[in-house]
Amino acid sequence: MTILFSSTIAFVLSSTVSWASQVCSIDTCLKGESSSPLLAFDHSNSKYLLPGTYTSSNLTPSSSLLNITHASDTSVISLPSSPIGFTNVHYDGPETIWDNGSWSTDHWKSVYLPSSWYGILENGIVIWGAVPDKNQLPNELIGLNLMKAASSSCNPTCSSHGTCISSNLTTEVTCQCSVGWTGTSCDQCAEGYWGSSCSPGPSNCTIWDDGLSGTGACLGTSTSSLSSCSCAHGTCTSSSECVCSAGWKNNSTQSSVLCDICVEGFFEDSEENCLACPLGCGSCTLQSGTNSTATCTSCSANLSLSDTSPATCIATKGSCVDGTFYDESSSSCMSCSPACSTCTGPSTSECLSCATPRVNLQGSCVYYDASTGVCDTLLSALTGVYVVNLEKSECDACPLGCLECHIPSFSNVKGYNTSQCSSCQEGYLLEDGQCIKKCNTGWYLPEGSAGKNGTCERCDSTCSTCLSASTTCTSCPSPLFAFGGTCISTCPDSTTPLNGTCVPCPPDCQFCSSPTACTVCPTSRPVLKDGRCIEYCPKDEYFDSSVKRCQACDWRCSSCANKDPEGCTSCQDGYILREGQCTSSVDSCGKGGFANGYGNCLSDFIKKTNHKKYYSLFAVIVLILGGGGIGFWLYVRRERKKTRQATRDFGDKLDDHTVQERLRTLRLERVLGLERVHTYSPNAAPASSRTQSGLGDGYEEKRSKRFKELLLPSRRKKRDDSEMEMEMKSTNFAPDFDKMSYRSSQPPPPYIPSEFEHTSSGDLKNAPSYSSSDSRSHPGSVSNPDRRDSLDSIPTPTLPSFVYSSKTSLKPVTKPNDTRSGTKVLSMSSPISPQTQMTSLMPPPRPGMIRTNTQDKEKEVDRRGDDHGDWEMERRLRELWPNLDKENEKEKRKAQGWI
């Protein structure tokens, strides 16, 4: 009980503390609680705080949506930096936080928009600032969903394919573009996307016609070696093998991409070609700031790097004429190999320049084909095709993408740049002897040839550029313009002419004067600003569709949907929006005042019905009632235990002397008439004989019954059951023995078929006599209550009377009121003694017997119940005191005059 009571008190105290919460601004506080996440909560003080600067060292507010900074004695709570929508009014209920993109909230009831942010409803209506209650907007806006939120701070304004947002790291605002779009205003297609919607190009093509004016047609091959087997310069033979083009090799220590390193004696220029290093250089690289000039990084034997730029390799000892070299062993000049013009030794690998018609190939002087310019690589370890570069007197690898190349009609005046490719590596197209990724202007790739390293072909003369076919123009000679593959004289709507082509207008334009300037805007973005179509007017204006321009709001509104005073969508601080009108907060907010930045009163943040309070009160009541019930049950249990213990103690104190004293008391009461049995029948004795004692015949019976009921309370219930039985019989209905508890107590005498033989005149023959001693074993006695008969449910007929004598057996009498000397007239409807009752002398019913009236039956049942009570009391006494002398007690009872 103590624990329960303590828990209840603690619960009440905790509930009391929660009820003491406050909702505060920087000026005042109101009692109550709030569930709005737009308020910071201070757990230590149970305070909900509006944004503002609080100068108190005791405050430690926190919030998941608000920006809070703490100093020694100051807490600054800032308004949210992102839009937030709510499903309940006054910024309550589950919130939807804007996620830096398209945003829509269904079933919204309030929304907070930061400064300079706007929201777009589903019919294009623009709302600004905070809307604490959607139902207070103009009627035509109440049922509309919120489709989008964005900032108006970007300049230039974002297109419909971008959203103006703030950076997470800085305060700078930029346009966040949708997939496929790029540019400062998100008005251009990203690389690989084409058309007015910037759709992705075909998946089975490496390059396609992209851009806003693109068609999406494939302009390159369907695959590339780099994507097939990670081969940069070569052709894939399997998913992991690549045949390198001339001048390239694999180097796994420097790159995981195959064929990505030039072989020894070569370097990579700015166009990804492998060119030969100068003679005498062990290795070289591209000189910074040039496209194809090499600078040595190491030299051959007997040579050293010069100090010039680019660096070269020169001899440092001796001076000899061309064709000879200085021999240190003989300190003289010796002849070079016939293949060398200058050298550092006698072998062909020590040439500094080659003698005509030889050229340098990886440090050696080799011949080349005079008709094609292809160098001889048989004496080298190189693979692939190399062509001569007479300007440098060296052999360079074929240009990028070429597997095989040559110089047509080779002569001494044709340089390396005149070489032509005869086949290309995977992922390249052959166009006019060059291997390229995309066909150049005036050329087209025949449809279907991209999958087999096709060849670009020239467009028809009617087209400046074409696509897929020679006559499918993408641009036309002036004054015609290409549109839809044909040349026309005037561009259609939503396009503008540019370089012989009808190019689309900027995104969101209906008509334009150039690719960057709109002249007419669509209804989805109706406002024209700086040559662009945008979706909103300035905050204090609205778009008037009748004149197609922005108009000023009513002076009472901060923002509006129309010019009427009832068309406001937001109000200045200090004014409350009520059904489209701005009203003063002085009359609406009362003591708490206005909540700056949120457009509502401070009191609006307080829960109007504090369910928590009532739930807590209900819980306290339940605990108190439960505790009281448990306490009462424990009290009753304890008292019952005391009573049982007192009863045991009382029984233990009883002795034989106490028992004898109580028996004498009982006998005395019965001798005095309290238990005297009246053997006369109400119809057998005259009224005068029943009143000789001065009392009515029912007085002693009632007094005896009363005494028995006081002595044995269970008798009262038995009497009631008997009365119920008589009532049931009087209506010819069988009693419900289970409900009358006959099985738990002694039942009434059952019907027993008589063993007497009856004559036609009703005389008894051979009637057996039963004593009290054998009444317990007689089938008709109360000791055999389980024997029942179906005739119990019918009314008891009128019973005959008998004459009882101590010398003779029972004899029938003709009149119930006759009396004889030494005899007593007994009737089956008269009260009898317990001994007489136990003899079960009831004869079987005879045909034609007349039923007794209801009153006689009730008296009979009462008397039978009283006699049964005597027997029950005797039985209980014998069970309590089994050592009682039964035979002596019988004799004593007979001597006292008991029948």
Side-chain angles (χ1 to χ4, degrees):
M1 289 295 291
T2 303
I3 296 176
L4 179 62
F5 182 77
S6 302
S7 302
T8 303
I9 295 299
F11 185 85
V12 172
L13 291 177
S14 64
S15 302
T16 304
V17 172
S18 65
W19 297 344
S21 299
Q22 293 180 317
V23 178
C24 301
S25 65
I26 58 176
D27 299 322
T28 185
C29 290
L30 297 177
K31 291 183 179 180
E33 291 184 339
S34 176
S35 59
S36 175
L38 294 187
L39 300 180
F41 183 62
D42 190 335
H43 292 271
S44 60
N45 297 299
S46 296
K47 288 186 177 181
Y48 300 85
L49 305 177
L50 280 175
T53 302
Y54 295 85
T55 57
S56 175
S57 58
N58 296 327
L59 293 177
T60 56
S62 61
S63 174
S64 60
L65 299 180
L66 305 179
N67 300 319
I68 302 176
T69 57
H70 298 284
S72 59
D73 58 351
T74 303
S75 297
V76 179
I77 305 174
S78 302
L79 291 166
S81 58
S82 297
I84 308 171
F86 299 89
T87 55
N88 292 330
V89 298
H90 301 300
Y91 318 111
D92 195 5
E95 69 271 11
T96 301
I97 302 176
W98 184 77
D99 59 354
N100 290 349
S102 297
W103 183 47
S104 64
T105 107
D106 296 332
H107 311 295
W108 71 284
K109 296 295 180 61
S110 57
V111 63
Y112 169 78
L113 298 172
S115 177
S116 76
W117 282 73
Y118 64 93
I120 304 295
L121 301 181
E122 58 185 348
N123 68 343
I125 296 295
V126 180
I127 58 175
W128 295 81
V131 180
D133 188 353
K134 177 182 180 181
N135 295 324
Q136 302 303 327
L137 290 172
N139 292 333
E140 65 271 18
L141 309 183
I142 292 178
L144 303 179
N145 286 332
L146 184 62
M147 305 304 298
K148 179 182 178 181
S151 174
S152 61
S153 302
C154 288
N155 189 18
T157 306
C158 303
S159 72
S160 59
H161 306 290
T163 304
C164 182
I165 62 171
S166 302
S167 173
N168 293 330
L169 301 178
T170 64
T171 58
E172 181 182 359
V173 290
T174 57
C175 291
Q176 177 178 318
C177 299
S178 303
V179 176
W181 293 86
T182 187
T184 57
S185 300
C186 301
D187 55 356
Q188 298 295 324
C189 287
E191 184 178 358
Y193 294 83
W194 62 276
S196 58
S197 59
C198 289
S199 304
S203 59
N204 59 347
C205 187
T206 56
I207 299 178
W208 50 85
D209 185 23
D210 56 8
L212 284 174
S213 58
T215 61
C218 187
L219 302 179
T221 57
S222 58
T223 60
S224 68
S225 58
L226 187 61
S227 61
S228 301
C229 63
S230 298
C231 184
H233 303 90
T235 300
C236 293
T237 58
S238 67
S239 60
S240 60
E241 295 183 358
C242 174
V243 177
C244 296
S245 299
W248 299 93
K249 70 172 185 177
N250 297 325
N251 191 338
S252 59
T253 60
Q254 296 185 20
S255 176
S256 60
V257 180
L258 302 178
C259 303
D260 195 34
I261 304 297
C262 289
V263 298
E264 290 81 0
F266 289 82
F267 71 97
E268 183 179 353
D269 68 359
S270 60
E271 296 180 358
E272 297 185 35
N273 295 314
C274 283
L275 303 180
C277 291
L279 284 173
C281 291
S283 61
C284 65
T285 60
L286 178 66
Q287 185 179 7
S288 177
T290 63
N291 294 327
S292 59
T293 302
T295 178
C296 294
T297 56
S298 64
C299 297
S300 302
N302 301 325
L303 297 177
S304 61
L305 288 174
S306 66
D307 296 332
T308 60
S309 180
T312 59
C313 293
I314 58 174
T316 58
K317 296 181 180 179
S319 179
C320 298
V321 297
D322 292 342
T324 63
F325 67 95
Y326 180 76
D327 185 10
E328 292 184 357
S329 61
S330 61
S331 299
S332 61
C333 292
M334 303 293 292
S335 296
C336 296
S337 169
C340 302
S341 174
T342 58
C343 64
T344 59
S347 68
T348 57
S349 61
E350 296 175 308
C351 296
L352 293 178
S353 61
C354 296
T356 305
R358 297 175 181 261
V359 291
N360 174 32
L361 177 62
Q362 204 177 23
S364 298
C365 294
V366 298
Y367 291 103
Y368 57 88
D369 190 328
S371 61
T372 60
V374 176
C375 296
D376 184 7
T377 58
L378 294 177
L379 298 180
S380 68
L382 300 174
T383 58
V385 178
Y386 295 82
V387 293
V388 64
N389 187 343
L390 294 179
E391 294 180 0
K392 300 179 180 179
S393 187
E394 61 188 16
C395 292
D396 293 329
C398 288
L400 177 66
C402 285
L403 289 179
E404 296 181 0
C405 63
H406 66 283
I407 300 177
S409 303
F410 178 74
S411 65
N412 292 337
V413 296
K414 286 190 175 182
Y416 172 79
N417 55 357
T418 61
S419 62
Q420 292 186 359
C421 299
S422 54
S423 64
C424 300
Q425 72 180 63
E426 186 177 358
Y428 285 82
L429 302 175
L430 182 62
E431 178 188 295
D432 195 21
Q434 304 294 321
C435 292
I436 58 177
K437 291 284 188 179
K438 176 182 177 181
C439 295
N440 292 316
T441 301
W443 297 74
Y444 73 97
L445 181 66
E447 187 174 359
S449 67
K452 54 185 178 181
N453 288 6
T455 302
C456 297
E457 299 182 6
R458 289 189 179 275
C459 295
D460 188 79
S461 59
T462 58
C463 301
S464 298
T465 58
C466 61
L467 189 66
S468 300
S470 61
T471 56
T472 304
C473 301
T474 56
S475 63
C476 300
S478 181
L480 300 179
F481 306 98
F483 182 79
T486 59
C487 294
I488 58 177
S489 58
T490 303
C491 289
D493 295 343
S494 300
T495 63
T496 184
L498 179 66
N499 297 329
T501 304
C502 294
V503 298
C505 287
D508 310 317
C509 291
Q510 186 173 358
F511 298 100
C512 60
S513 58
S514 70
T516 58
C518 299
T519 56
V520 179
C521 296
T523 56
S524 59
R525 297 176 71 88
V527 181
L528 181 62
K529 178 184 178 182
D530 300 331
R532 296 180 177 275
C533 295
I534 60 177
E535 54 195 352
Y536 61 90
C537 292
K539 183 176 181 180
D540 56 351
E541 297 181 4
Y542 72 97
F543 183 77
D544 189 345
S545 58
S546 61
V547 295
K548 298 186 181 301
R549 66 173 180 265
C550 296
Q551 301 278 24
C553 294
D554 186 84
W555 63 271
R556 303 173 183 85
C557 305
S558 177
S559 62
C560 64
N562 53 59
K563 66 178 179 179
D564 297 330
E566 296 82 12
C568 300
T569 58
S570 64
C571 303
Q572 299 290 340
D573 280 347
Y575 289 85
I576 302 293
L577 185 65
R578 292 286 185 266
E579 297 180 358
Q581 299 184 48
C582 292
T583 61
S584 176
S585 62
V586 176
D587 301 328
S588 302
C589 292
K591 181 180 178 181
F594 185 78
N596 290 329
Y598 290 148
N600 60 345
C601 300
L602 180 65
S603 59
D604 292 332
F605 286 104
I606 299 176
K607 293 181 180 179
K608 298 301 183 291
T609 302
N610 197 336
H611 298 286
K612 180 179 179 181
K613 174 180 178 180
Y614 295 107
Y615 293 155
S616 302
L617 183 60
F618 176 79
V620 170
I621 294 174
V622 170
L623 287 175
I624 293 175
L625 293 178
I630 294 174
F632 178 77
W633 178 77
L634 292 176
Y635 173 79
V636 172
R637 184 178 180 183
R638 184 185 64 181
E639 293 300 318
R640 287 180 177 177
K641 184 176 181 182
K642 289 181 179 181
T643 303
R644 288 194 295 268
Q645 183 63 36
T647 302
R648 287 194 294 268
D649 295 340
F650 175 78
D652 294 338
K653 294 178 181 179
L654 289 177
D655 53 11
D656 186 72
H657 175 74
T658 306
V659 173
Q660 295 301 327
E661 288 291 329
R662 296 193 177 188
L663 286 175
R664 283 193 292 271
T665 302
L666 292 175
R667 293 167 187 158
L668 180 60
E669 290 174 348
R670 292 177 181 176
V671 169
L672 294 177
L674 296 179
E675 284 293 321
R676 189 171 300 281
V677 178
H678 298 274
T679 59
Y680 57 83
S681 173
N683 299 324
S688 59
S689 64
R690 282 178 284 158
T691 58
Q692 292 177 357
S693 60
L695 299 173
D697 62 329
Y699 174 77
E700 290 185 358
E701 291 180 0
K702 292 180 179 179
R703 185 174 62 175
S704 176
K705 291 178 182 178
R706 180 62 179 165
F707 174 76
K708 293 175 183 178
E709 290 174 359
L710 292 175
L711 182 64
L712 297 174
S714 61
R715 290 182 56 79
R716 186 183 301 108
K717 181 178 184 303
K718 300 183 187 306
R719 185 186 66 181
D720 298 338
D721 295 342
S722 299
E723 293 175 355
M724 184 182 299
E725 179 185 8
M726 291 303 301
E727 181 179 358
M728 295 295 292
K729 286 187 176 183
S730 66
T731 57
N732 289 336
F733 285 94
D736 191 339
F737 291 100
D738 292 336
K739 294 183 180 179
M740 296 175 67
S741 305
Y742 281 164
R743 298 191 182 277
S744 60
S745 62
Q746 194 65 30
Y751 167 74
I752 306 299
S754 174
E755 297 179 5
F756 302 130
E757 298 179 0
H758 298 273
T759 63
S760 59
S761 59
D763 296 337
L764 294 171
K765 292 182 179 182
N766 301 325
S769 176
Y770 296 98
S771 63
S772 61
S773 61
D774 59 2
S775 63
R776 294 182 182 275
S777 62
H778 189 267
S781 66
V782 293
S783 64
N784 190 12
D786 293 332
R787 182 170 180 178
R788 307 298 304 273
D789 195 88
S790 62
L791 293 179
D792 291 345
S793 62
I794 65 176
T796 305
T798 304
L799 301 178
S801 301
F802 297 90
V803 178
Y804 175 81
S805 175
S806 60
K807 296 180 180 181
T808 63
S809 60
L810 293 172
K811 295 181 179 181
V813 296
T814 59
K815 295 181 181 181
N817 57 356
D818 290 344
T819 58
R820 299 181 182 180
S821 174
T823 63
K824 292 183 180 180
V825 179
L826 303 179
S827 174
M828 296 306 292
S829 60
S830 302
I832 60 177
S833 65
Q835 292 83 354
T836 305
Q837 181 186 9
M838 294 180 185
T839 58
S840 300
L841 297 178
M842 180 183 294
R846 299 299 183 187
M849 286 185 176
I850 301 174
R851 296 183 181 180
T852 60
N853 56 39
T854 304
Q855 295 180 351
D856 294 338
K857 293 177 182 179
E858 292 176 353
K859 292 180 180 179
E860 180 181 354
V861 172
D862 290 343
R863 286 192 294 272
R864 186 172 58 186
D866 295 342
D867 297 336
H868 173 69
D870 296 340
W871 176 84
E872 179 69 17
M873 181 174 66
E874 181 179 354
R875 182 185 65 78
R876 290 179 60 184
L877 290 174
R878 292 180 184 277
E879 290 178 354
L880 292 174
W881 304 292
N883 57 350
L884 191 66
D885 188 352
K886 299 180 180 179
E887 296 298 331
N888 293 337
E889 184 66 18
K890 288 182 180 180
E891 295 299 329
K892 291 179 181 179
R893 290 170 61 84
K894 290 181 179 180
Q896 292 173 359
W898 290 88
I899 299 175

